[in-house]
Amino acid sequence: MEADEVTIREQNFHSQVREYTICFLLFAVLYIVSYFIITRYKRKADEQEDEDAIVNRISLFLSTFTLAVSAGAVLLLPFSIISNEILLSFPQNYYIQWLNGSLIHGLWNLASLFSNLCLFVLMPFAFFFLESEGFAGLKKGIRARILETLVMLILLALLILGIVWVASALIDNDAASMESLYDLWEFYLPYLYSCISLMGCLLLLLCTPVGLSRMFTVMGQLLVKPTILEDLDEQMYIITLEEEAIQRRLNGISSMVEYQTGELERELEKVKSKKTNLERRKKASAWERNLVYPAVMILLLTETSISVLLVAFNILYLLVDETAMPKGSGGPGIGNASLSTFGFVGAALEIILIFYLMVSSVVGFYSLRFFENFTPRKDDTTMTKIIGNCVSILVLSSALPVMSRTLGITRFDLLGDFGRFNWLGNFYIVLSYNLLFAIVTTLCLVRKFTSAVREELLKALGLDKLHLSNNPRDSETKPSANGHQKTL
């Protein structure tokens, strides 16, 4: 008996070491990729080893860690789905014995733990540490800045604690619930993370429909459109004449007229951008113009339509079966049964839709007017803006598994703390979330595909000068031609 117990303990020890090693290797890969992404957008600073450089480097490492955790949260649900199907297909394969339910549950718990750590500790520390200067009267240096940062973190924690207490008293004024707030680890942090997750899901509800309609415009800018009834040589000739004319006007204007010079320089940049796009379209091959672009547009339309249909079916499923709720559905364990009706093909489709929704939500996030100036620029993004972007991506990615399960994109049960969110058990919140997503996405798509028709109708009725169209090109103030024609 003692030998058997020793053998079992050894097996458990080796399995835990193997799981931690796999988690470390996966996170190391994500960290390296995240580091290259951030350094691509981070503003280049001097190479001097001064105090600010050390602070920037520490903030950079913390931001990289947060972005890696965000990437892990995005990959969490697809990795779990594909692992379930692999274990079903090869249950006795020796080479995939490391892929088991214990590893999947461990990844979910680590993702939840690191998300809380980054959201409530690391990112606030990075921001306050970057903005700190040290208390007055103390010797300036790294220690003084760390002391100020820790004091700010303590004050922030007390502020959040008070807000949660007030919210708990207003929503659920119960003695048991108020006493449970004293339990910091078991109730307070999960309750706070549940509120953050709800805010993330609401942000996804706002960003994803906008991103789904915006994806067609983004892909249209990245790909080469077909040349139907267009003469590219004539357009190149016209755009070249415009560029030469603006260049001559710039050379003829006095350097004292700063407003006209800046206006003409912006106009020249637009003309050069149009010329670059025309040159790219002219150099593109026939199959790239006539095959790739329509295929990508059809693929985007198909994925969007499937997403809306799945949400519509989930709404009907919620109305007739209470087991469709994302919380309290005790499904089969990892590798026991397929969670998709179509098996491996259905699981692959779910993974594609989850990635598609995440990309659309990011595109929609940066397309909103409130976050337009938040968009990172290559080699010209401050460290403060990078921290804000990392926090935003973390909130979106942490809410992605919850949104995917709430909308019925997948039937994979939420594991760890992701399945303990209080609002997931509320039928009215889940049903309203599905209805709003389907309605807003449909309205955004209808608005997107009817924008050209609306513009033509406004032009036919003579109302295009009233700026009733939402096209940003219509609202741009065009420069006056007085004096420019004489110069030309």
Side-chain angles (χ1 to χ4, degrees):
M1 291 294 293
E2 293 181 358
D4 294 338
E5 291 179 358
V6 171
T7 304
I8 293 174
R9 285 198 298 268
E10 290 179 353
Q11 291 177 353
N12 293 333
F13 173 77
H14 289 303
S15 63
Q16 289 180 358
V17 171
R18 183 171 62 246
E19 291 173 6
Y20 288 137
T21 304
I22 294 171
C23 293
F24 175 78
L25 292 177
L26 292 175
F27 185 79
V29 173
L30 294 178
Y31 188 90
I32 294 172
V33 174
S34 302
Y35 179 79
F36 283 113
I37 292 174
I38 291 182
T39 52
R40 177 181 176 84
Y41 290 98
K42 181 179 177 293
R43 179 178 293 175
K44 304 302 180 183
D46 298 332
E47 298 298 330
Q48 299 177 358
E49 288 294 331
D50 56 354
E51 179 182 322
D52 291 334
I54 297 174
V55 172
N56 281 330
R57 190 175 296 112
I58 294 174
S59 300
L60 173 63
F61 291 153
L62 295 179
S63 301
T64 306
F65 184 86
T66 303
L67 189 60
V69 173
S70 304
V74 172
L75 297 173
L76 194 60
L77 193 56
F79 182 78
S80 302
I81 294 173
I82 196 67
S83 300
N84 182 69
E85 298 300 325
I86 291 176
L87 290 175
L88 274 175
S89 303
F90 311 99
Q92 303 298 330
N93 195 321
Y94 174 76
Y95 296 100
I96 61 171
Q97 292 300 315
W98 57 272
L99 193 62
N100 49 36
S102 177
L103 174 64
I104 304 300
H105 282 80
L107 289 175
W108 281 77
N109 292 328
L110 288 176
S112 177
L113 175 63
F114 286 150
S115 297
N116 282 284
L117 181 65
C118 294
L119 196 58
F120 300 122
V121 179
L122 297 185
M123 284 294 94
F125 179 85
F127 176 75
F128 291 133
F129 191 45
L130 194 66
E131 299 294 329
S132 64
E133 295 179 356
F135 291 114
L138 295 179
K139 183 180 179 180
K140 301 298 182 182
I142 297 295
R143 292 183 178 180
R145 299 180 73 162
I146 291 177
L147 178 61
E148 181 184 351
T149 303
L150 293 177
V151 171
M152 293 298 297
L153 283 178
I154 293 174
L155 294 177
L156 179 64
L158 293 176
L159 176 63
I160 295 177
L161 179 63
I163 293 175
V164 173
W165 265 89
V166 173
S168 178
L170 293 175
I171 297 174
D172 190 8
N173 191 10
D174 187 11
S177 62
M178 297 297 292
E179 289 179 1
S180 59
L181 280 176
Y182 289 109
D183 195 348
L184 183 66
W185 187 260
E186 291 295 331
F187 182 83
Y188 177 74
L189 286 180
Y191 179 78
L192 187 59
Y193 190 57
S194 176
C195 298
I196 299 296
S197 174
L198 179 59
M199 293 174 57
C201 288
L202 293 177
L203 185 60
L204 282 175
L205 181 62
L206 180 64
C207 298
T208 307
V210 176
L212 289 174
S213 61
R214 179 70 178 164
M215 283 291 291
F216 294 91
T217 304
V218 173
M219 296 307 297
Q221 295 172 353
L222 296 176
L223 300 176
V224 179
K225 297 181 180 180
T227 55
I228 302 175
L229 301 178
E230 286 185 283
D231 190 352
L232 295 181
D233 294 330
E234 181 180 358
Q235 294 183 21
M236 281 291 298
Y237 178 71
I238 294 173
I239 207 73
T240 304
L241 289 180
E242 290 183 7
E243 183 182 4
E244 294 175 355
I246 296 174
Q247 193 66 49
R248 284 197 297 268
R249 285 152 63 182
L250 275 173
N251 296 333
I253 289 180
S254 174
S255 59
M256 298 297 292
V257 189
E258 297 181 0
Y259 174 75
Q260 293 183 357
T261 303
E263 191 176 351
L264 288 177
E265 286 178 352
R266 288 192 295 269
E267 190 175 350
L268 182 62
E269 289 296 326
K270 293 180 181 179
V271 171
K272 287 182 178 180
S273 177
K274 292 180 182 178
K275 185 178 180 180
T276 303
N277 292 333
L278 285 175
E279 290 176 350
R280 183 189 171 199
R281 293 181 63 185
K282 192 174 180 181
K283 293 179 181 179
S285 59
W287 70 270
E288 185 179 357
R289 290 195 305 264
N290 303 322
L291 182 62
V292 175
Y293 181 82
V296 171
M297 291 296 115
I298 291 173
L299 180 62
L300 291 178
L301 184 60
T302 303
E303 291 179 344
T304 306
S305 303
I306 292 175
S307 301
V308 176
L309 287 176
L310 286 176
V311 175
F313 286 135
N314 190 56
I315 293 173
L316 297 177
Y317 196 32
L318 284 170
L319 295 174
V320 299
D321 191 359
E322 62 180 9
T323 59
M325 292 290 293
K327 185 179 181 181
S329 54
I334 304 295
N336 294 331
S338 179
L339 301 174
S340 176
T341 308
F342 302 99
F344 195 84
V345 177
L349 179 62
E350 290 178 0
I351 293 173
I352 293 174
L353 291 178
I354 290 171
F355 282 123
Y356 179 59
L357 290 178
M358 184 59 199
V359 174
S360 301
S361 64
V362 174
V363 172
F365 176 79
Y366 291 114
S367 299
L368 297 176
R369 292 183 179 180
F370 186 74
F371 300 107
E372 279 183 352
N373 297 327
F374 214 52
T375 306
R377 300 180 183 276
K378 183 181 177 182
D379 296 333
D380 192 28
T381 307
T382 60
M383 201 64 227
T384 304
K385 189 177 289 187
I386 287 177
I387 292 174
N389 279 275
C390 290
V391 172
S392 303
I393 297 298
L394 177 62
V395 172
L396 292 175
S397 59
S398 299
L400 179 66
V402 183
M403 187 193 73
S404 302
R405 181 63 182 91
T406 304
L407 295 178
I409 303 298
T410 180
R411 295 297 173 186
F412 192 90
D413 291 333
L414 300 173
L415 304 177
D417 289 334
F418 288 92
R420 295 170 55 188
F421 297 150
N422 298 328
W423 61 272
L424 288 177
N426 193 314
F427 172 77
Y428 297 103
I429 293 180
V430 174
L431 182 62
S432 302
Y433 193 89
N434 281 263
L435 288 172
L436 284 174
F437 183 87
I439 294 172
V440 175
T441 303
T442 305
L443 291 177
C444 288
L445 291 176
V446 170
R447 179 178 177 274
K448 171 66 180 177
F449 290 112
T450 59
S451 60
V453 178
R454 290 200 315 271
E455 291 176 7
E456 293 299 327
L457 287 175
L458 292 175
K459 290 180 181 179
L461 296 175
L463 301 176
D464 54 325
K465 296 181 180 180
L466 298 178
H467 303 293
L468 297 177
S469 174
N470 290 324
N471 193 343
R473 291 177 298 179
D474 297 339
S475 60
E476 291 179 356
T477 56
K478 297 182 179 179
S480 175
N482 294 333
H484 294 174
Q485 295 295 335
K486 294 180 181 179
T487 306
L488 180 61

